[in-house]
Amino acid sequence: MPYELKPLRIGPLEIDFPVVLAALASYSDLPYRLICRACGAPYGATAAMLDRQMLLDGKLRDRLVRLDAADHPIAGQIMGNDPAVMARAAVILRDMGFDVIDLNFACPVKKVVAKKRGGHLMERPDLALEIVRAVREAVPDRPVTLKLRRAFREKDGTSGAFWRISRGAFEAGAAAIAVHARSVEQKYRGQADWGFLARVKSEFPDRTVIGSGDVHTALDALRMIEQTGVDGVLAARGAIGNPWLFRQARDLAAGREPFQPGLAEQRQLINRHLRLAGDLYGPRRGLLTLRNFGIRYARLHPHPAKVRAAFINVKTEEDWRAVMETWYGG
Ligand SMILES: Cc1cc2nc3c(=O)[nH]c(=O)nc-3n(C[C@H](O)[C@H](O)[C@H](O)COP(=O)(O)O)c2cc1C
């Protein structure tokens, strides 16, 4: 049955389809974003980038922020805890051509939280809101969005901070919030609480709320919209190794049978991805990057365990060619 989906609004931007690529450290780099775009993703975000890193000229920053005409609209995601530094980083990203500035208050990685960044801000609503206001003021001409978790801890009532941050951020002019329906403490374990997403949307019926958590398939993405009323959905782990998820979601939404890539399509896309990674990182690092993706692409192959093992063992271009010939016919 076709779904009636609305475009996703982020400030002045109208994104034609509401299933978009999540920020994913080690994955949502320029090559993979271009691959996902080619498969129907209408919007995406960089992985979380350290605010201070944005202030430094250099090769690492250049690779992180590299943009492409085919990769718009695009959000640059920053992470930090000093409102002034976050604001300067936002200006730099704006000047480089990012369409949206996304603030990460969600990352649960131990060393990030220990340094009082990312998910730590879910315990510091006042500081989080200072950051939102400083960034809004610094880039009034770009939509500012937030990535939040539903709470810091499971049980001690830190979800109060969620409501303070989300309400305060909208009052300060944030264009959208994306909510990962797990606590920071939960990291990626257990089920995401879609009931919480429904509560957030009913609390903010006229604002843009994007849901995240347990979107493993295209059908999950459409179900999340249907069940919770969110305006958009982040495809995260479900899109790693399956960039076709976006096309499949578009198919399902239109009432079509979802596209299933055959081996020839998989081969073509993986080879294209390798070329894009080589362009950005150079041949050696490009190959190692693609090995990581190959391990994830293997899940769509009829022999996933064997193909995964074969990708894990790739060290040279020759090894790569052998895997492609053996398992993908060329
Ligand atoms: C490997 C990995 C890296 C991630 N990196 C980021 C990141 O840099 N910024 C961010 O906001 N979220 C990041 N996330 C969180 C995802 O965007 C998403 O919110 C989360 O995985 C929940 O969705 P899922 O259960 O459908 O995977 C990451 C998740 C994974 C698995």
PDB file of all heavy atoms in Angstrom, residues 22-25 27 46-48 77 104 106 147 180 182 188 212-216 234 236-238 240, ligand 1:
ATOM      1  N   ALA A  22      21.978   9.244   8.116  1.00  0.00           N
ATOM      2  CA  ALA A  22      22.423   9.712   9.442  1.00  0.00           C
ATOM      3  C   ALA A  22      23.892  10.108   9.411  1.00  0.00           C
ATOM      4  O   ALA A  22      24.647   9.683   8.532  1.00  0.00           O
ATOM      5  CB  ALA A  22      22.229   8.578  10.449  1.00  0.00           C
ATOM      6  N   ALA A  23      24.296  10.891  10.398  1.00  0.00           N
ATOM      7  CA  ALA A  23      25.723  11.110  10.660  1.00  0.00           C
ATOM      8  C   ALA A  23      26.283   9.804  11.206  1.00  0.00           C
ATOM      9  O   ALA A  23      25.730   9.240  12.156  1.00  0.00           O
ATOM     10  CB  ALA A  23      25.894  12.223  11.689  1.00  0.00           C
ATOM     11  N   LEU A  24      27.372   9.326  10.599  1.00  0.00           N
ATOM     12  CA  LEU A  24      27.935   8.039  11.000  1.00  0.00           C
ATOM     13  C   LEU A  24      29.454   8.115  10.981  1.00  0.00           C
ATOM     14  O   LEU A  24      30.066   8.139   9.896  1.00  0.00           O
ATOM     15  CB  LEU A  24      27.487   6.940  10.019  1.00  0.00           C
ATOM     16  CG  LEU A  24      26.021   6.515  10.062  1.00  0.00           C
ATOM     17  CD1 LEU A  24      25.640   5.749   8.809  1.00  0.00           C
ATOM     18  CD2 LEU A  24      25.750   5.676  11.312  1.00  0.00           C
ATOM     19  N   ALA A  25      30.066   8.151  12.155  1.00  0.00           N
ATOM     20  CA  ALA A  25      31.529   8.185  12.217  1.00  0.00           C
ATOM     21  C   ALA A  25      32.092   6.969  11.493  1.00  0.00           C
ATOM     22  O   ALA A  25      31.572   5.856  11.638  1.00  0.00           O
ATOM     23  CB  ALA A  25      31.981   8.187  13.675  1.00  0.00           C
ATOM     24  N   TYR A  27      31.783   6.216   8.500  1.00  0.00           N
ATOM     25  CA  TYR A  27      30.973   5.805   7.341  1.00  0.00           C
ATOM     26  C   TYR A  27      30.422   6.965   6.512  1.00  0.00           C
ATOM     27  O   TYR A  27      30.456   6.894   5.282  1.00  0.00           O
ATOM     28  CB  TYR A  27      29.825   4.890   7.786  1.00  0.00           C
ATOM     29  CG  TYR A  27      30.329   3.567   8.323  1.00  0.00           C
ATOM     30  CD1 TYR A  27      30.415   3.341   9.690  1.00  0.00           C
ATOM     31  CD2 TYR A  27      30.770   2.569   7.461  1.00  0.00           C
ATOM     32  CE1 TYR A  27      30.909   2.148  10.193  1.00  0.00           C
ATOM     33  CE2 TYR A  27      31.270   1.368   7.945  1.00  0.00           C
ATOM     34  CZ  TYR A  27      31.335   1.166   9.316  1.00  0.00           C
ATOM     35  OH  TYR A  27      31.833  -0.018   9.797  1.00  0.00           O
ATOM     36  N   THR A  46      27.677  14.916   7.658  1.00  0.00           N
ATOM     37  CA  THR A  46      29.026  14.416   7.904  1.00  0.00           C
ATOM     38  C   THR A  46      28.996  13.643   9.218  1.00  0.00           C
ATOM     39  O   THR A  46      28.065  13.779  10.009  1.00  0.00           O
ATOM     40  CB  THR A  46      30.017  15.580   8.102  1.00  0.00           C
ATOM     41  OG1 THR A  46      29.638  16.309   9.293  1.00  0.00           O
ATOM     42  CG2 THR A  46      30.019  16.522   6.900  1.00  0.00           C
ATOM     43  N   ALA A  47      30.048  12.881   9.470  1.00  0.00           N
ATOM     44  CA  ALA A  47      30.234  12.334  10.812  1.00  0.00           C
ATOM     45  C   ALA A  47      30.512  13.499  11.752  1.00  0.00           C
ATOM     46  O   ALA A  47      30.835  14.606  11.301  1.00  0.00           O
ATOM     47  CB  ALA A  47      31.414  11.379  10.793  1.00  0.00           C
ATOM     48  N   ALA A  48      30.377  13.257  13.048  1.00  0.00           N
ATOM     49  CA  ALA A  48      30.666  14.311  14.030  1.00  0.00           C
ATOM     50  C   ALA A  48      32.112  14.779  13.878  1.00  0.00           C
ATOM     51  O   ALA A  48      33.035  13.970  13.810  1.00  0.00           O
ATOM     52  CB  ALA A  48      30.440  13.769  15.438  1.00  0.00           C
ATOM     53  N   GLN A  77      28.219  18.316  10.848  1.00  0.00           N
ATOM     54  CA  GLN A  77      27.931  18.089  12.271  1.00  0.00           C
ATOM     55  C   GLN A  77      29.154  18.409  13.126  1.00  0.00           C
ATOM     56  O   GLN A  77      30.248  17.920  12.840  1.00  0.00           O
ATOM     57  CB  GLN A  77      27.498  16.649  12.522  1.00  0.00           C
ATOM     58  CG  GLN A  77      26.998  16.466  13.954  1.00  0.00           C
ATOM     59  CD  GLN A  77      26.634  15.039  14.293  1.00  0.00           C
ATOM     60  OE1 GLN A  77      27.507  14.227  14.568  1.00  0.00           O
ATOM     61  NE2 GLN A  77      25.342  14.725  14.297  1.00  0.00           N
ATOM     62  N   ASN A 104      26.047  18.044  17.726  1.00  0.00           N
ATOM     63  CA  ASN A 104      25.976  16.704  18.299  1.00  0.00           C
ATOM     64  C   ASN A 104      25.971  16.766  19.826  1.00  0.00           C
ATOM     65  O   ASN A 104      26.984  17.102  20.443  1.00  0.00           O
ATOM     66  CB  ASN A 104      27.161  15.864  17.802  1.00  0.00           C
ATOM     67  CG  ASN A 104      27.117  14.441  18.333  1.00  0.00           C
ATOM     68  OD1 ASN A 104      26.884  14.220  19.522  1.00  0.00           O
ATOM     69  ND2 ASN A 104      27.326  13.475  17.475  1.00  0.00           N
ATOM     70  N   ALA A 106      24.820  13.926  21.419  1.00  0.00           N
ATOM     71  CA  ALA A 106      24.315  12.554  21.518  1.00  0.00           C
ATOM     72  C   ALA A 106      25.399  11.485  21.606  1.00  0.00           C
ATOM     73  O   ALA A 106      25.120  10.379  22.053  1.00  0.00           O
ATOM     74  CB  ALA A 106      23.429  12.259  20.294  1.00  0.00           C
ATOM     75  N   LYS A 147      21.285  16.981  17.324  1.00  0.00           N
ATOM     76  CA  LYS A 147      21.134  15.533  17.462  1.00  0.00           C
ATOM     77  C   LYS A 147      21.148  15.223  18.949  1.00  0.00           C
ATOM     78  O   LYS A 147      22.119  15.518  19.642  1.00  0.00           O
ATOM     79  CB  LYS A 147      22.296  14.821  16.757  1.00  0.00           C
ATOM     80  CG  LYS A 147      22.302  13.296  16.927  1.00  0.00           C
ATOM     81  CD  LYS A 147      21.236  12.639  16.098  1.00  0.00           C
ATOM     82  CE  LYS A 147      21.299  11.130  16.126  1.00  0.00           C
ATOM     83  NZ  LYS A 147      22.455  10.553  15.506  1.00  0.00           N
ATOM     84  N   HIS A 180      17.662  10.348  18.812  1.00  0.00           N
ATOM     85  CA  HIS A 180      17.972   8.917  18.888  1.00  0.00           C
ATOM     86  C   HIS A 180      17.294   8.404  20.156  1.00  0.00           C
ATOM     87  O   HIS A 180      17.641   8.834  21.260  1.00  0.00           O
ATOM     88  CB  HIS A 180      19.492   8.714  18.931  1.00  0.00           C
ATOM     89  CG  HIS A 180      19.882   7.272  19.007  1.00  0.00           C
ATOM     90  ND1 HIS A 180      21.189   6.859  19.059  1.00  0.00           N
ATOM     91  CD2 HIS A 180      19.142   6.135  19.030  1.00  0.00           C
ATOM     92  CE1 HIS A 180      21.228   5.530  19.127  1.00  0.00           C
ATOM     93  NE2 HIS A 180      19.996   5.075  19.121  1.00  0.00           N
ATOM     94  N   ARG A 182      17.381   6.258  22.296  1.00  0.00           N
ATOM     95  CA  ARG A 182      18.069   5.501  23.350  1.00  0.00           C
ATOM     96  C   ARG A 182      18.726   6.515  24.272  1.00  0.00           C
ATOM     97  O   ARG A 182      18.971   7.651  23.871  1.00  0.00           O
ATOM     98  CB  ARG A 182      19.176   4.602  22.767  1.00  0.00           C
ATOM     99  CG  ARG A 182      18.691   3.410  21.978  1.00  0.00           C
ATOM    100  CD  ARG A 182      19.856   2.496  21.548  1.00  0.00           C
ATOM    101  NE  ARG A 182      19.364   1.298  20.896  1.00  0.00           N
ATOM    102  CZ  ARG A 182      19.090   1.212  19.596  1.00  0.00           C
ATOM    103  NH1 ARG A 182      19.298   2.251  18.801  1.00  0.00           N
ATOM    104  NH2 ARG A 182      18.626   0.099  19.087  1.00  0.00           N
ATOM    105  N   TYR A 188      24.369   1.699  22.004  1.00  0.00           N
ATOM    106  CA  TYR A 188      23.582   1.176  20.869  1.00  0.00           C
ATOM    107  C   TYR A 188      22.851  -0.107  21.250  1.00  0.00           C
ATOM    108  O   TYR A 188      22.345  -0.812  20.394  1.00  0.00           O
ATOM    109  CB  TYR A 188      24.505   0.945  19.657  1.00  0.00           C
ATOM    110  CG  TYR A 188      25.099   2.253  19.196  1.00  0.00           C
ATOM    111  CD1 TYR A 188      26.339   2.674  19.650  1.00  0.00           C
ATOM    112  CD2 TYR A 188      24.371   3.102  18.368  1.00  0.00           C
ATOM    113  CE1 TYR A 188      26.857   3.906  19.278  1.00  0.00           C
ATOM    114  CE2 TYR A 188      24.876   4.329  17.995  1.00  0.00           C
ATOM    115  CZ  TYR A 188      26.117   4.719  18.450  1.00  0.00           C
ATOM    116  OH  TYR A 188      26.609   5.948  18.078  1.00  0.00           O
ATOM    117  N   SER A 212      15.265   8.551  15.174  1.00  0.00           N
ATOM    118  CA  SER A 212      16.402   7.661  14.927  1.00  0.00           C
ATOM    119  C   SER A 212      16.377   6.525  15.931  1.00  0.00           C
ATOM    120  O   SER A 212      16.055   6.730  17.106  1.00  0.00           O
ATOM    121  CB  SER A 212      17.708   8.445  15.049  1.00  0.00           C
ATOM    122  OG  SER A 212      18.819   7.577  14.939  1.00  0.00           O
ATOM    123  N   GLY A 213      16.756   5.336  15.441  1.00  0.00           N
ATOM    124  CA  GLY A 213      16.884   4.175  16.313  1.00  0.00           C
ATOM    125  C   GLY A 213      16.141   2.978  15.772  1.00  0.00           C
ATOM    126  O   GLY A 213      14.935   3.025  15.562  1.00  0.00           O
ATOM    127  N   ASP A 214      16.905   1.917  15.479  1.00  0.00           N
ATOM    128  CA  ASP A 214      16.329   0.660  14.991  1.00  0.00           C
ATOM    129  C   ASP A 214      15.651   0.795  13.630  1.00  0.00           C
ATOM    130  O   ASP A 214      14.601   0.185  13.397  1.00  0.00           O
ATOM    131  CB  ASP A 214      15.351   0.064  16.010  1.00  0.00           C
ATOM    132  CG  ASP A 214      16.077  -0.483  17.231  1.00  0.00           C
ATOM    133  OD1 ASP A 214      17.290  -0.754  17.113  1.00  0.00           O
ATOM    134  OD2 ASP A 214      15.440  -0.625  18.283  1.00  0.00           O
ATOM    135  N   VAL A 215      16.270   1.559  12.759  1.00  0.00           N
ATOM    136  CA  VAL A 215      15.793   1.601  11.367  1.00  0.00           C
ATOM    137  C   VAL A 215      16.704   0.664  10.578  1.00  0.00           C
ATOM    138  O   VAL A 215      17.703   1.071  10.002  1.00  0.00           O
ATOM    139  CB  VAL A 215      15.831   3.047  10.823  1.00  0.00           C
ATOM    140  CG1 VAL A 215      15.414   3.079   9.358  1.00  0.00           C
ATOM    141  CG2 VAL A 215      14.897   3.931  11.656  1.00  0.00           C
ATOM    142  N   HIS A 216      16.365  -0.622  10.626  1.00  0.00           N
ATOM    143  CA  HIS A 216      17.236  -1.614   9.996  1.00  0.00           C
ATOM    144  C   HIS A 216      16.915  -1.795   8.522  1.00  0.00           C
ATOM    145  O   HIS A 216      17.768  -2.204   7.740  1.00  0.00           O
ATOM    146  CB  HIS A 216      17.117  -2.953  10.735  1.00  0.00           C
ATOM    147  CG  HIS A 216      17.436  -2.829  12.193  1.00  0.00           C
ATOM    148  ND1 HIS A 216      18.683  -2.487  12.646  1.00  0.00           N
ATOM    149  CD2 HIS A 216      16.652  -2.938  13.300  1.00  0.00           C
ATOM    150  CE1 HIS A 216      18.670  -2.415  13.972  1.00  0.00           C
ATOM    151  NE2 HIS A 216      17.441  -2.686  14.392  1.00  0.00           N
ATOM    152  N   LEU A 234      16.214   8.973  10.303  1.00  0.00           N
ATOM    153  CA  LEU A 234      17.625   8.779   9.973  1.00  0.00           C
ATOM    154  C   LEU A 234      17.880   7.303   9.702  1.00  0.00           C
ATOM    155  O   LEU A 234      17.597   6.451  10.552  1.00  0.00           O
ATOM    156  CB  LEU A 234      18.520   9.192  11.147  1.00  0.00           C
ATOM    157  CG  LEU A 234      18.464  10.643  11.617  1.00  0.00           C
ATOM    158  CD1 LEU A 234      19.464  10.854  12.758  1.00  0.00           C
ATOM    159  CD2 LEU A 234      18.750  11.611  10.477  1.00  0.00           C
ATOM    160  N   ALA A 236      20.644   4.762   9.690  1.00  0.00           N
ATOM    161  CA  ALA A 236      22.004   4.715  10.248  1.00  0.00           C
ATOM    162  C   ALA A 236      22.591   3.328   9.985  1.00  0.00           C
ATOM    163  O   ALA A 236      23.018   3.041   8.860  1.00  0.00           O
ATOM    164  CB  ALA A 236      21.971   5.080  11.725  1.00  0.00           C
ATOM    165  N   ARG A 237      22.565   2.441  10.988  1.00  0.00           N
ATOM    166  CA  ARG A 237      23.162   1.116  10.759  1.00  0.00           C
ATOM    167  C   ARG A 237      22.489   0.399   9.595  1.00  0.00           C
ATOM    168  O   ARG A 237      23.127  -0.362   8.878  1.00  0.00           O
ATOM    169  CB  ARG A 237      23.101   0.292  12.042  1.00  0.00           C
ATOM    170  CG  ARG A 237      24.159   0.732  13.038  1.00  0.00           C
ATOM    171  CD  ARG A 237      24.035   0.014  14.338  1.00  0.00           C
ATOM    172  NE  ARG A 237      22.819   0.401  15.059  1.00  0.00           N
ATOM    173  CZ  ARG A 237      22.491  -0.050  16.252  1.00  0.00           C
ATOM    174  NH1 ARG A 237      23.271  -0.915  16.867  1.00  0.00           N
ATOM    175  NH2 ARG A 237      21.386   0.357  16.845  1.00  0.00           N
ATOM    176  N   GLY A 238      21.200   0.667   9.408  1.00  0.00           N
ATOM    177  CA  GLY A 238      20.479   0.029   8.295  1.00  0.00           C
ATOM    178  C   GLY A 238      21.015   0.428   6.936  1.00  0.00           C
ATOM    179  O   GLY A 238      20.822  -0.296   5.951  1.00  0.00           O
ATOM    180  N   ILE A 240      24.325   1.184   6.428  1.00  0.00           N
ATOM    181  CA  ILE A 240      25.746   0.820   6.266  1.00  0.00           C
ATOM    182  C   ILE A 240      25.793  -0.529   5.548  1.00  0.00           C
ATOM    183  O   ILE A 240      25.349  -1.535   6.077  1.00  0.00           O
ATOM    184  CB  ILE A 240      26.476   0.715   7.632  1.00  0.00           C
ATOM    185  CG1 ILE A 240      26.381   2.024   8.418  1.00  0.00           C
ATOM    186  CG2 ILE A 240      27.935   0.328   7.407  1.00  0.00           C
ATOM    187  CD1 ILE A 240      27.014   1.961   9.818  1.00  0.00           C
TER     188      ILE A 240
HETATM  189  C1  LIG B   1      29.231   3.366  13.591  1.00  0.00           C
HETATM  190  C2  LIG B   1      28.319   4.490  14.027  1.00  0.00           C
HETATM  191  C3  LIG B   1      28.781   5.797  14.006  1.00  0.00           C
HETATM  192  C4  LIG B   1      27.924   6.847  14.392  1.00  0.00           C
HETATM  193  N1  LIG B   1      28.395   8.129  14.324  1.00  0.00           N
HETATM  194  C5  LIG B   1      27.555   9.163  14.621  1.00  0.00           C
HETATM  195  C6  LIG B   1      27.989  10.517  14.477  1.00  0.00           C
HETATM  196  O1  LIG B   1      29.144  10.813  14.107  1.00  0.00           O
HETATM  197  N2  LIG B   1      27.092  11.504  14.763  1.00  0.00           N
HETATM  198  C7  LIG B   1      25.797  11.215  15.163  1.00  0.00           C
HETATM  199  O2  LIG B   1      25.007  12.131  15.381  1.00  0.00           O
HETATM  200  N3  LIG B   1      25.383   9.951  15.324  1.00  0.00           N
HETATM  201  C8  LIG B   1      26.229   8.921  15.055  1.00  0.00           C
HETATM  202  N4  LIG B   1      25.767   7.633  15.167  1.00  0.00           N
HETATM  203  C9  LIG B   1      24.379   7.380  15.591  1.00  0.00           C
HETATM  204  C10 LIG B   1      23.451   7.183  14.389  1.00  0.00           C
HETATM  205  O3  LIG B   1      23.387   8.359  13.616  1.00  0.00           O
HETATM  206  C11 LIG B   1      22.030   6.743  14.823  1.00  0.00           C
HETATM  207  O4  LIG B   1      21.420   7.792  15.558  1.00  0.00           O
HETATM  208  C12 LIG B   1      22.047   5.477  15.682  1.00  0.00           C
HETATM  209  O5  LIG B   1      22.888   4.494  15.095  1.00  0.00           O
HETATM  210  C13 LIG B   1      20.636   4.884  15.894  1.00  0.00           C
HETATM  211  O6  LIG B   1      20.071   4.405  14.725  1.00  0.00           O
HETATM  212  P1  LIG B   1      20.047   2.819  14.338  1.00  0.00           P
HETATM  213  O7  LIG B   1      19.633   2.065  15.594  1.00  0.00           O
HETATM  214  O8  LIG B   1      19.010   2.756  13.242  1.00  0.00           O
HETATM  215  O9  LIG B   1      21.436   2.474  13.905  1.00  0.00           O
HETATM  216  C14 LIG B   1      26.616   6.568  14.833  1.00  0.00           C
HETATM  217  C15 LIG B   1      26.168   5.247  14.861  1.00  0.00           C
HETATM  218  C16 LIG B   1      26.990   4.202  14.481  1.00  0.00           C
HETATM  219  C17 LIG B   1      26.472   2.792  14.531  1.00  0.00           C
END
